[in-house]
Amino acid sequence: MTTSSHSYSSSGDSCSERSGMRTSGTSVLSSTSNFTISSTITSQSVSTKFFIPSSSISTFGEYQIEHIDTESIWYRKYFIHKKHPTFVGNVEPFGPVIISIALDCKTINNNRDAVYWYRYILRHKDLPDDRGLLVGPPQTPLSDPPWDVLLRRISREFAQSKLTKLITTPELSEELLSLDENRLQKAYKIGLLYCAPLQTTEEEWFSNTTTSISFTNFLELLGTKVRLLGFKGFSGGLDTNLDGTGEYSIHDDKTFKDYEIMYHVSTMLPYEKSNRYQITRKRHIGNDIVCIIFQDEPKPFSPFAIRSQFLHVYVIVSPVKCKVDSYHVEVVCKNGVPYFGPPLPNPPIFDDPISLKKFLVATVINGQNAAWKTPKLSDPFYRARGGIIRDIVNKSIPRMNMDILLTPPQSPKKLSQDELNSILKGLFVDQLKYKGKPPDISLVKDLLEKGANPNIRIPQPKPLKESSASSSNDNLDDSYFSSTLPTPSSTTSSSLPSSSLSQYSSFKLPNILFATIALTDDPIYVKFLINYGVETMPKDNHFPNAFVFSATYKRVETMRCLLENIPALSDPKSVDTAINDTYNSVYSKNTQNNVLNGYGTYGNRIWYNFTKFKNQIRGK
């Protein structure tokens, strides 16, 4: 579908326009509204004008940057340079909360009475944060204001007895600043894929080594060609030390002030003659969220033409025949991407290169901001954010214990390798025992960065008497597999045996990747583990490789992720060999007299039953 834009309006932040109403950082689609209200504070009538700020946009000339929380800079702008308390605690229905409150300013009302304004930020696991202004009691140099009164005005659920007041140290301020501005993005990496005439598949597009004059002219329009070796600007993940990702790329930091884009240009990334799938090129562009598709000749483009977990928005550009420097533009998105702009003109043709460049930059930035709100991309972020808030709350509350306050400060104990491994193992064992979800990704990341081994073996709980592959925590509809995978109850000689999962239950899982696959189908979690060095082809001969293990659990998204990120699994022969090596040694006695269509080994028979499923995974 082609997207278009809402009309936004922005507001100022003057101290004369205050409210007792709470504001948030969500997208505000309506125009600024003005009201007059009356608040009674200590028997004084206070009349003031307030606004609902439009906090989701920044304006650059005729274009707007949308789907960003511009109020996320509140802590940097209004709190960090002031002395202020921080309140933490676990309060239902919010869960772990972190509240910052600071005196903002003092105004004089119509009765010449002083009015004290307090600014607050309420952080919890969900976004947006609650931010607002409160009218409160006076604050004097000799005493603090009654914080309990202010907390109750934020929410009736808050009382100082439920929350712990902390002294806001510089270390805590840095943590809160990082938490608040985590999604305030100013640098973007955008894919740029060249499609020659008559090409129809991603293998052909990623294999292009020559381009057209039209594409060369388009690159000059889009940005500056930079030498990657020694480049000091935003690199977008490209190698600036050893030329490992090519010698040149296209960079732009001049279109919008403070915004920077590095383009992953397919024909500038390294080409591998022996690799049909061009894994190096696909690894960069396939992990982008927005991609510009340049077609020498315009043709319909499907957002599913490129197999990727991350690509959600495509901007299709093609030159207009018989018109110099004219381009036709379309925008297509995967389902779930919210509405974003700028709107395409009618007809969607740009005759001015400068106007085209501004439009494209605004579109790719807004498209990526909007795509972050899809469940596929936002769920892992929310899990990590919730974990960070919980960690800050849990580690802060014990500071108020008198025993801790009276204990001389000590250097934190550095955990040994065995202790780190034991903690990591325990996280996964508990989830396997109760068939839960994988441990919080932020906790796992912290342990791995401290030196925990991702390839430790994970004990499994004793299996129940009656269990099946479908009993694992998975939300996929089994009907999807009804035509591709054999069911445990199938009686044909070529079906996957009902013991295909129980055969693993008596052995320790090879590592935390296999434990994750047993728990859920989360490709982003799997990619995270791959990046931290987890083994996909275990040394334990009781288990197959991670792809085959995922197949037995019907983890379709995980299988796609493994094929995209592990080159060896992109080769069907390698997968066949891995299956045969795993199963032939175990099942050869049971399959010597049972040959199906020439497949004389159990591994081959598994792959025979997965043929249709395999083709779906590879997009054929």
Side-chain angles (χ1 to χ4, degrees):
M1 65 179 188
T2 302
T3 62
S4 59
S5 170
H6 289 293
S7 176
Y8 295 90
S9 61
S10 59
S11 301
D13 227 354
S14 80
C15 192
S16 63
E17 296 179 325
R18 304 300 190 188
S19 81
M21 299 288 290
R22 295 194 299 165
T23 63
S24 67
T26 189
S27 298
V28 181
L29 303 184
S30 60
S31 301
T32 300
S33 303
N34 294 305
F35 302 89
T36 300
I37 62 169
S38 177
S39 302
T40 301
I41 307 295
T42 61
S43 301
Q44 298 176 355
S45 180
V46 180
S47 180
T48 184
K49 193 176 183 181
F50 72 89
F51 62 88
I52 300 177
S54 179
S55 60
S56 62
I57 62 170
S58 295
T59 303
F60 292 93
E62 67 271 36
Y63 294 117
Q64 298 172 333
I65 302 302
E66 305 167 357
H67 293 284
I68 57 171
D69 181 5
T70 57
E71 288 182 0
S72 61
I73 64 170
W74 264 34
Y75 193 76
R76 180 185 298 275
K77 187 175 181 180
Y78 300 113
F79 288 83
I80 201 167
H81 59 283
K82 296 179 180 179
K83 183 180 178 181
H84 64 278
T86 302
F87 296 88
V88 299
N90 291 282
V91 181
E92 295 301 330
F94 300 96
V97 296
I98 304 172
I99 305 173
S100 300
I101 306 179
L103 178 65
D104 192 66
C105 66
K106 182 176 70 174
T107 60
I108 304 298
N109 66 5
N110 295 336
N111 297 328
R112 298 187 178 278
D113 297 320
V115 180
Y116 291 82
W117 294 94
Y118 293 85
R119 193 178 293 264
Y120 72 88
I121 303 174
L122 165 61
R123 307 171 186 86
H124 43 81
K125 61 183 177 63
D126 297 320
L127 282 178
D129 293 331
D130 292 327
R131 308 181 185 98
L133 290 156
L134 299 169
V135 175
Q139 180 173 347
T140 67
L142 300 178
S143 64
D144 284 339
W147 298 116
D148 194 62
V149 173
L150 292 171
L151 290 170
R152 286 187 178 277
R153 285 183 183 165
I154 296 174
S155 173
R156 294 180 181 178
E157 305 296 332
F158 298 145
Q160 208 163 343
S161 58
K162 295 182 180 180
L163 298 170
T164 299
K165 180 185 173 185
L166 303 177
I167 297 174
T168 307
T169 63
E171 293 77 16
L172 178 57
S173 288
E174 286 299 321
E175 287 186 279
L176 297 179
L177 191 65
S178 175
L179 178 67
D180 289 357
E181 298 184 3
N182 185 271
R183 278 289 176 87
L184 195 62
Q185 189 173 2
K186 292 297 181 73
Y188 294 77
K189 57 186 185 73
I190 304 297
L192 179 52
L193 185 62
Y194 171 68
C195 303
L198 305 180
Q199 291 183 336
T200 58
T201 66
E202 67 168 283
E203 286 80 8
E204 293 174 315
W205 301 331
F206 280 104
S207 296
N208 281 321
T209 56
T210 59
T211 62
S212 63
I213 296 177
S214 297
F215 184 65
T216 302
N217 294 337
F218 179 70
L219 293 182
E220 293 176 356
L221 175 156
L222 206 56
T224 304
K225 185 177 181 180
V226 295
R227 182 74 169 90
L228 290 176
L229 187 64
F231 182 68
K232 301 301 181 183
F234 173 66
S235 65
L238 299 178
D239 184 6
T240 59
N241 296 318
L242 300 172
D243 282 341
T245 53
E247 296 183 357
Y248 297 93
S249 192
I250 301 298
H251 177 263
D252 174 39
D253 61 356
K254 296 180 176 60
T255 304
F256 289 161
K257 183 181 177 182
D258 298 329
Y259 282 82
E260 198 171 358
I261 298 177
M262 177 61 81
Y263 292 96
H264 291 160
V265 185
S266 60
T267 54
M268 291 183 174
L269 292 168
Y271 173 75
E272 299 169 309
K273 292 182 179 180
S274 60
N275 193 325
R276 173 188 173 190
Y277 299 99
Q278 296 301 317
I279 296 301
T280 301
R281 292 179 170 183
K282 179 71 177 290
R283 184 173 291 132
H284 285 283
I285 296 177
N287 285 328
D288 293 332
I289 295 173
V290 180
C291 184
I292 296 176
I293 307 294
F294 187 89
Q295 299 176 335
D296 278 332
E297 296 179 359
K299 63 183 68 174
F301 182 86
S302 167
F304 302 100
I306 301 174
R307 298 183 293 277
S308 170
Q309 298 289 332
F310 296 95
L311 284 172
H312 279 65
V313 178
Y314 298 88
V315 182
I316 298 90
V317 180
S318 55
V320 178
K321 292 183 178 181
C322 303
K323 294 184 70 176
V324 179
D325 293 332
S326 292
Y327 296 88
H328 179 275
V329 179
E330 289 183 56
V331 181
V332 296
C333 307
K334 288 184 178 178
N335 292 333
V337 177
Y339 199 48
F340 68 90
L344 283 163
N346 186 17
I349 295 176
F350 291 83
D351 297 321
D352 177 26
I354 296 177
S355 297
L356 172 65
K357 181 179 180 179
K358 290 182 178 179
F359 176 86
L360 291 177
V361 171
T363 299
V364 298
I365 290 176
N366 291 342
Q368 179 156 322
N369 293 341
W372 275 119
K373 297 182 178 181
T374 61
K376 176 73 74 175
L377 300 178
S378 64
D379 287 351
F381 170 77
Y382 283 127
R383 286 200 300 268
R385 171 185 164 84
I388 293 171
I389 292 176
R390 184 172 59 251
D391 289 346
I392 293 175
V393 171
N394 291 342
K395 76 179 181 181
S396 299
I397 290 177
R399 294 178 185 173
M400 302 308 294
N401 185 291
M402 291 304 298
D403 293 334
I404 296 177
L405 292 176
L406 296 175
T407 302
Q410 299 177 353
S411 299
K413 179 185 176 182
K414 185 175 181 180
L415 298 177
S416 66
Q417 175 82 47
D418 290 340
E419 290 173 322
L420 291 169
N421 290 345
S422 177
I423 296 172
L424 182 62
K425 182 189 299 182
L427 292 175
F428 282 89
V429 168
D430 288 344
Q431 298 304 315
L432 287 167
K433 181 178 180 181
Y434 298 105
K435 298 181 180 179
K437 295 181 178 180
D440 189 287
I441 197 169
S442 62
L443 298 179
V444 176
K445 180 180 180 182
D446 184 59
L447 289 169
L448 294 177
E449 288 182 345
K450 290 179 179 178
N453 180 10
N455 294 304
I456 54 171
R457 303 185 69 184
I458 307 297
Q460 299 189 76
K462 293 182 179 180
L464 300 175
K465 293 182 179 180
E466 296 294 334
S467 63
S468 67
S470 61
S471 64
S472 61
N473 185 12
D474 195 302
N475 295 325
L476 295 176
D477 185 356
D478 281 348
S479 63
Y480 174 84
F481 300 90
S482 60
S483 63
T484 60
L485 292 178
T487 62
S489 60
S490 175
T491 59
T492 63
S493 60
S494 62
S495 298
L496 184 66
S498 61
S499 61
S500 61
L501 297 180
S502 61
Q503 62 174 300
Y504 305 131
S505 60
S506 58
F507 303 104
K508 291 183 178 180
L509 293 168
N511 54 43
I512 60 177
L513 171 62
F514 283 69
T516 300
I517 294 170
L519 289 167
T520 190
D521 190 13
D522 188 342
I524 295 179
Y525 204 113
V526 169
K527 180 171 176 57
F528 154 75
L529 294 179
I530 292 173
N531 290 339
Y532 275 86
V534 73
E535 295 176 354
T536 57
M537 297 183 181
K539 299 174 183 177
D540 188 342
N541 59 10
H542 296 107
F543 287 86
N545 64 50
F547 179 83
V548 179
F549 190 75
S550 300
T552 60
Y553 275 91
K554 304 179 182 179
R555 306 304 197 206
V556 60
E557 298 296 332
T558 295
M559 295 174 75
R560 286 196 180 99
C561 178
L562 289 169
L563 286 180
E564 290 173 4
N565 290 278
I566 308 299
L569 296 183
S570 298
D571 180 10
K573 293 183 179 179
S574 298
V575 178
D576 292 341
T577 302
I579 297 174
N580 289 330
D581 289 345
T582 301
Y583 285 95
N584 289 348
S585 61
V586 179
Y587 293 98
S588 58
K589 294 181 180 180
N590 299 329
T591 59
Q592 289 176 353
N593 300 320
N594 191 3
V595 179
L596 175 64
N597 293 337
Y599 288 81
T601 64
Y602 188 79
N604 281 333
R605 290 194 294 112
I606 286 182
W607 197 244
Y608 177 84
N609 282 289
F610 284 146
T611 297
K612 185 176 179 181
F613 180 51
K614 175 186 68 174
N615 290 337
Q616 290 179 342
I617 292 296
R618 292 197 169 91
K620 296 180 179 180

